[in-house]
Amino acid sequence: MKHRTTLVAASLLALCGSGASNPAAQFPAGASSQSAVSPNRYPFEGETIGKALLNTLVREAPRGPDFDESAFEYPIVWPDGCTTRERVIINGASEHTLASPCTVLYPQWVSAWDANVLVDPDEVDVGHMVPLEEAWYSGAWAWTAKQRRDFANDLSNSTSLRVLTASTNAERGSSDPARWWPTIEGYRCGYAAEWVWVKARWNLSVDPAEYRALMTQLDETEYNYCRDKPVYVPPPGLSPGRGPASIIGGIFAPSGTPYSLIGVQAYDAHHALVRETRVRVEGNYELTGLPPGKYTVKFLGGTSGTSDQWYSDVPGGPPEVLTLTAGSIASGITVAMLAAPGSAGTAGSAGSTGSAAS
């Protein structure tokens, strides 16, 4: 049987290197399931990685009428009398003692993308992770007025709006990652993941150059800083999603089995092969670019010395059907591979874990 335990945790996504003093604050806390059988397998249910999340976005050239900043109604005034901008500045300050209802006393801020410690309020600015103009040409031009207002004033997480050095915010302007990155290289992994997280939350598209720049960073492998960084699947700001879906997970294999010799295949409801890939040397895989629908997943032992098997809720049972909606991710689709009869490998404990997350 599949055993699950509920885990309430803050996001594991941290800025690469020493960029974030409090990595757990990068994304909102949320409920996630973790297999009792495979506590170290990636990713846990409800989590993904930046690469897979990027591949759920629609890729298309920027389009829409001329940008109209006033269409976003930013900043709004909240019931406490403070504006969105003031609330971000208050929440981002090291000291929350207020000099007035909307002003911090003894303020100090750490700028998100350049590590500057700011004490002069005149040097402080608030920036959208995805600038309003970028959002406009990535799909927001077609939204309702309420949807644009909700995007521009999104205080439900610590990622959408950030405290920044005013000069850094001005330097970036409305540039996407094809044209601008934080000057500190160690911050770029987190920047890329957060950019994709916001775009996925709001069903925003990426253009080809932007996609290449993001994928280059998120597929960085020299130190594996970015490639396997877990990211919570974002709660949808708009529903339903628009882009393709993904299936991601990993394997356990008998001792000595080369993971990378094991193939993974996704079959649709008509039993037609839709996508296939190989498990990486770390034991992880991603099946991306999947149309919405119902899927079963097969793991092929090939020349690895393990037996072919389907992903199943019950080890050795019938294939489990995964239902994927547009832009959704089925995460934690993990199995324990068994040594093929006559193989010298030692079989691991059979088991599987996983769920579909949208």
Side-chain angles (χ1 to χ4, degrees), residues 222-279:
E222 184 177 356
Y223 302 105
N224 289 333
Y225 280 157
C226 239
R227 189 172 67 178
D228 292 330
K229 280 284 186 182
V231 184
Y232 277 117
V233 175
L238 297 178
S239 187
R242 289 203 303 147
S246 298
I247 298 172
I248 62 176
I251 64 167
F252 296 105
S255 177
T257 299
Y259 290 165
S260 56
L261 295 180
I262 294 173
V264 189
Q265 298 177 329
Y267 289 85
D268 66 15
H270 304 289
H271 310 293
L273 177 62
V274 178
R275 195 77 71 240
E276 60 184 327
T277 188
R278 283 195 176 276
V279 173

Side-chain angles (χ1 to χ4, degrees), residues 4-256:
R4 289 176 180 166
T5 178
T6 301
L7 172 69
V8 178
S11 172
L12 299 177
L13 175 69
L15 293 175
C16 299
S18 58
S21 58
N22 182 13
Q26 295 304 312
F27 291 99
S32 170
S33 297
Q34 176 181 346
S35 166
V37 177
S38 53
N40 297 317
R41 181 49 56 198
Y42 121 117
F44 299 149
E45 297 177 44
E47 290 181 355
T48 181
I49 57 172
K51 280 177 56 182
L53 196 58
L54 175 58
N55 279 322
T56 66
L57 303 182
V58 172
R59 277 177 259 174
E60 62 184 12
R63 61 193 183 95
D66 290 343
F67 173 54
D68 179 7
E69 185 173 5
S70 65
F72 285 89
E73 196 180 340
Y74 169 83
I76 61 172
V77 178
W78 292 83
D80 61 3
C82 300
T83 67
T84 301
R85 187 180 188 281
E86 289 168 334
R87 289 183 67 171
V88 173
I89 289 175
I90 292 170
N91 292 338
S94 60
E95 172 59 62
H96 289 181
T97 302
L98 299 179
S100 68
C102 301
T103 306
V104 180
L105 184 67
Y106 310 123
Q108 182 174 327
W109 300 267
V110 177
S111 177
W113 303 331
D114 55 27
N116 286 332
V117 177
L118 308 173
V119 295
D120 182 354
D122 290 338
E123 295 180 351
V124 175
D125 203 355
V126 172
H128 289 87
M129 184 67 227
V130 174
L132 299 182
E133 185 173 359
E134 168 67 22
W136 177 268
Y137 290 117
S138 300
W141 63 271
W143 293 352
T144 66
K146 181 182 183 303
Q147 288 169 338
R148 286 191 288 264
R149 181 173 66 250
D150 289 348
F151 170 84
N153 298 277
D154 188 3
L155 295 178
S156 67
N157 59 85
S158 60
T159 299
S160 295
L161 287 153
R162 309 301 301 269
V163 171
L164 305 168
T165 306
S167 58
T168 297
N169 197 28
E171 175 190 285
R172 184 191 72 151
S174 295
S175 299
D176 68 22
R179 297 178 293 161
W180 189 89
W181 286 102
T183 54
I184 301 175
E185 289 191 12
Y187 278 36
R188 293 177 184 178
C189 173
Y191 185 87
E194 292 174 6
W195 181 279
V196 172
W197 192 90
V198 172
K199 284 218 161 181
R201 172 166 162 74
W202 293 94
N203 293 342
L204 294 170
S205 62
V206 289
D207 65 56
E210 176 189 359
Y211 175 87
R212 288 192 297 271
L214 287 164
M215 184 56 75
T216 297
Q217 178 62 58
L218 294 172
D219 198 30
E220 185 275 323
T221 59
E222 184 177 356
Y223 302 105
N224 289 333
Y225 280 157
C226 239
R227 189 172 67 178
D228 292 330
K229 280 284 186 182
V231 184
Y232 277 117
V233 175
L238 297 178
S239 187
R242 289 203 303 147
S246 298
I247 298 172
I248 62 176
I251 64 167
F252 296 105
S255 177

Side-chain angles (χ1 to χ4, degrees), residues 305-346:
T306 59
S307 297
D308 294 357
Q309 65 187 87
W310 293 93
Y311 174 74
S312 177
D313 192 27
V314 179
E320 181 173 353
V321 177
L322 306 174
T323 301
L324 301 179
T325 57
S328 68
I329 296 177
S331 59
I333 306 305
T334 296
V335 302
M337 301 294 289
L338 301 176
S343 170
T346 301

